[in-house]
Amino acid sequence: MTQNAISVKNLTAGYGRRIVLENISFDVPPGQILTILGGSGCGKSTLLKHMIGLRTPFAGDILLHGKSIVSSTGNRKRAIMRRFGVAYQGGALFRSLSLAENIALPMEEHTKMSKEEIREKVREKLRLVNLDGYQDCMPSDLSGGMVKRAAFARSLALDPDILFFDEPSAGLDPLSSASLDRLILDIREKTAATIVVVTHELESIFTIADRAVMLDADTKSIIADGPPLELKKHSANPFVRLFLNAGRDPAAHLHEGSIHAGYQ
Amino acid sequence: MQDTNKFKLGLFVTISLFVFIAAVLSMGVFDSLFKSRAHMATFVEESVQGLNSGSAVKFRGVPIGSISDITIIMESRTVRIDMEIDLSKFKTTLGKNIFTTPSIPAPEFYKYLHSEIDKGLCCRIEPDGITGIKYIEMDFFKDVDARHAGPEFQPGLRNGIFFMPSTPSLMSSLRFNMTEILANIATIDFRKISEETISLLERANKTLNDPRLDNLLNDAETILKKASETVETLNGTLTPEKLDLTLAELDKTIRSIRLLSDGLEKTLATSKIPQTTASIRELSDSFSTGDSSIKMTILKLNEALDAMTDLIQYINDNPSSVLHGKGRAKQ
Amino acid sequence: MRRRDDMTRRNSILLQIGDVSCVIWQETLSLIQFIGEAVSACADAVRRPRKIRWRETLFYMNMCGSDGLPITALICFLTGIILGYQCAVQMHKYGADAFLPGLVGCSVVRELGPMMVAIVATGRAGSAFAAEIGTMKVSEEIDAMRTMGFLPERFLVIPKLIAMTLTIPMLTVIGDVMGILGGMIVGHTSLGMPVQTYYQQTVEWVAPEYFFESIFKSVVFAVVITLTGCWRGFRAGNDAIAVGKATTSAVVISILFIILCDTFLAHVFNTIFFG
């Protein structure tokens, strides 16, 4: 059996004294596209921040390719970080740098490639996300969808094995959103990377995800784990079915109150 | 990345470097590299408080250099002051254009110093106003002897350094005199004086506290009171008018006695009566002189009593005067 | 119910003092941690100077130096005039006119020049640094840097630090000269002192050491401003209001630190170097 790309073990995390996630465990095999979903405030972003090593959990461990990102520090932690790419919700492109410079930056810092090699690599990445020709644009000149794609390109800069996408389609029109979904699948095809997508866009989930993990704010734990289409139809939890059917599931007899509770 | 305006940055850097260099140059940081200098040293036997490395050296008030070092020669407790002289301050002649007149070379300067020292040139520490800062003044000071304490302090050029004679500063002379005066004062045995004073005062205190003194004073007072009473009675009885009257009556009596005696004389001229009458006359004479002498006596007694009253009053007010004699009159 | 509990607890002065102490303690710890990170970033930069972002450095040099030159020069010049004028009025009463150049020169070069430049730089650069880093934090750029395996401290602080430690002394040199010029104008116009005399007196009083003290101080201030600005930026919360707060606190704390450093340095210079 191959090593899991990501394995989260008994993770308990939160802010200050508030616990957001309690005793969460799951594994992601290599090459899988996993979506983490849930209502707002259920801890999706918190889980993501712990997986990419920005926060230290209260308890538990997170292994990326068998290496704990929780217990490693300094250069060892940064070495782990170099093996995954993250595309943030707002893109998080450096506004003082052009698009090409944004993508070239990790290569300049972490590799010994020559300038020509880097330029070629940047073009390659931009071509992958259909932004070839925009090298010298500043992030402020790009549209929302382009910024997202540029962020994808930057997260791919060091050819990582794992990619984390935080709400890629948030704030985009359905067309751009759909094209991003296609892009994600495209990226998986070309790089064979493990992809973790945090989202609550149902279209995306059903289009891209091999597997969905759903978090719940009340139980602070995973309430559903499996292929999204299956969960939509056969989940034991009515809330999961309701969520995946966009709140229009006649089979789920839920009161309005519990829906709100679920979303809080 | 917003492109940096390199022209502006370049301009900024150029301006600041230019200002920096100009400031450094104007403060004379690199003067020592460009100016021809002479080295001098002098020895002083006083405190150089207020004199620092960098303090000015002036020749007749013209700043000609600065102090480069101040050290102490332990053996003689002398302070050695090293000075750097800017030779461009010395010009040989007025010249056609004073700006083009070259400054003199060091050996010439030393030679010049030698000749001036023979005329009385020497160094002295001078205070610069009230600021507490001092400088070295080189001048021909009147009424002062340049000090050359030992052969090593002799003026002249040795090891490339010219040794200048020095004279104590005004402050130093003043301090020396003051010290002498203070030393004289210090020879007075204040301790002994104060001890004696203390013992004297103790004895005086003892005497004053002696009960016999009180008694004495009390006795004197009673006597005086009695005397005063007597005088008053006497005064009462012997007013001058009354006295005159009495004496006049006495005179009348005596005259009638004389008349009587004249008649008796005549009668008893031949008998032994004249002897008798002569003795009577004697008596009466003694009477008539007696009345004035009594008068004098009483007046004198009056005066004496007045004086006595004053004295007692005075003693009462200043008891210590009993011991110290009459002091200055209290106003 | 909980709300009322909170209210009564809020009202307790001891609780407030405790809260404030906790905040101060936490901030101090974070400052120490940040300084540690910055120092290690500096060491890293010295080891690998090729990795320094020179382009950003030039950009910040332009921003802090060239762009700030006119206002800094003007403020220093006016400071010189104000100081000169106040002193001229007072000193003229005692006939101490001759000491005006020395007083203005020494004050400006040793204290006011570096201080004024530092305060202007705090307002211009320190606040800008805090706002910049705060905004980057809000837009997750700092997080992005971390997950890209960069040290944000090295990335963001080093260019600013280099730019500031280079430009602030330059500004201070110009500021010192402008301050002296201001004093000179007052001395010339209000005390009738010839410019040449004023210049000579200034040169006589202002020792080269003072000039280097000025530059040394300005380097220290530059480090203080940069580190404080960046630190407040990194400590900013995650929204726009937090960025504004970070900017304000950057300016306030940085001015406080500048004054503290100046007090300390004034003592050090007067006792150790010129003592």
Side-chain angles (χ1 to χ4, degrees), chain B residues 219-230:
Chain B
D219 288 352
E221 217 167 334
T222 6
I223 290 165
L224 199 74
K225 225 179 242 167
K226 280 182 183 161
S228 145
E229 274 166 18
T230 322

Side-chain angles (χ1 to χ4, degrees), chain A residues 240-258:
Chain A
V240 176
R241 287 204 302 278
L242 190 66
F243 186 96
L244 290 173
N245 286 297
R248 288 186 301 272
D249 184 12
H253 302 291
L254 279 172
H255 297 294
E256 283 288 304
S258 28

Side-chain angles (χ1 to χ4, degrees), chain B residues 178-190:
Chain B
M178 281 300 290
T179 316
E180 219 159 52
I181 292 165
L182 286 175
N184 285 339
I185 291 173
T187 56
I188 300 170
D189 192 348
F190 285 104

Side-chain angles (χ1 to χ4, degrees), chain C:
Chain C
M1 196 55 202
R2 251 193 81 184
R3 202 184 154 84
R4 192 183 295 163
D5 280 355
D6 278 355
M7 287 293 282
T8 41
R9 284 180 67 195
R10 280 262 165 93
N11 287 341
S12 155
I13 183 126
L14 286 177
L15 194 87
Q16 283 179 19
I17 292 172
D19 271 354
V20 168
S21 318
C22 276
V23 168
I24 290 174
W25 175 240
Q26 278 168 6
E27 292 296 317
T28 312
L29 279 185
S30 90
L31 176 63
I32 291 168
Q33 190 190 345
F34 177 74
I35 289 173
E37 278 165 0
V39 168
S40 90
C42 285
D44 199 48
V46 170
R47 267 207 309 275
R48 282 174 294 182
R50 208 174 52 82
K51 292 263 182 178
I52 296 169
R53 316 273 315 162
W54 290 110
R55 223 149 50 102
E56 268 95 339
T57 310
L58 283 182
F59 169 75
Y60 287 118
M61 279 180 80
N62 209 9
M63 177 190 131
C64 312
S66 334
D67 294 349
L69 176 62
I71 183 71
T72 311
L74 178 69
I75 286 179
C76 286
F77 180 69
L78 293 178
T79 308
I81 288 186
I82 294 163
L83 184 67
Y85 192 70
Q86 294 292 357
C87 294
V89 170
Q90 297 302 322
M91 289 166 92
H92 190 66
K93 286 185 194 162
Y94 303 100
D97 294 6
F99 293 106
L100 181 72
L103 198 149
V104 172
C106 290
S107 313
V108 165
V109 170
R110 295 188 63 182
E111 286 299 337
L112 291 172
M115 179 85 89
M116 283 313 194
V117 170
I119 285 171
V120 174
T122 304
R124 294 188 76 260
S127 61
F129 294 164
E132 184 193 317
I133 293 176
T135 314
M136 287 180 84
K137 216 183 158 193
V138 172
S139 63
E140 295 180 305
E141 285 174 58
I142 305 284
D143 285 347
M145 276 185 186
R146 283 193 207 283
T147 49
M148 282 161 127
F150 301 162
L151 286 167
E153 288 78 18
R154 178 163 74 77
F155 228 77
L156 297 172
V157 177
I158 295 298
K160 295 179 175 68
L161 202 57
I162 294 173
M164 286 286 276
T165 45
L166 287 178
T167 51
I168 298 299
M170 292 187 198
L171 283 177
T172 305
V173 167
I174 295 175
D176 288 348
V177 173
M178 291 308 284
I180 290 171
L181 274 180
M184 188 182 277
I185 285 178
V186 173
H188 184 62
T189 52
S190 105
L191 294 182
M193 193 179 280
V195 171
Q196 181 66 23
T197 313
Y198 194 97
Y199 168 75
Q200 286 296 345
Q201 281 287 312
T202 306
V203 168
E204 193 175 309
W205 278 95
V206 180
E209 296 94 292
Y210 295 168
F211 202 60
F212 291 109
E213 177 188 356
S214 181
I215 290 169
F216 181 80
K217 273 187 177 174
S218 66
V219 171
V220 173
F221 294 163
V223 173
V224 168
I225 295 166
T226 315
L227 291 187
T228 315
C230 293
W231 171 54
R232 291 322 295 172
F234 278 115
R235 288 290 286 176
N238 282 323
D239 54 32
I241 295 170
V243 174
K245 275 186 187 163
T247 313
T248 311
S249 74
V251 171
V252 172
I253 294 174
S254 160
I255 287 178
L256 173 71
F257 283 168
I258 287 168
I259 304 278
L260 283 178
C261 277
D262 197 35
T263 314
F264 176 70
L265 286 177
H267 177 72
V268 165
F269 272 98
N270 279 321
T271 51
I272 296 173
F273 296 118
F274 310 138

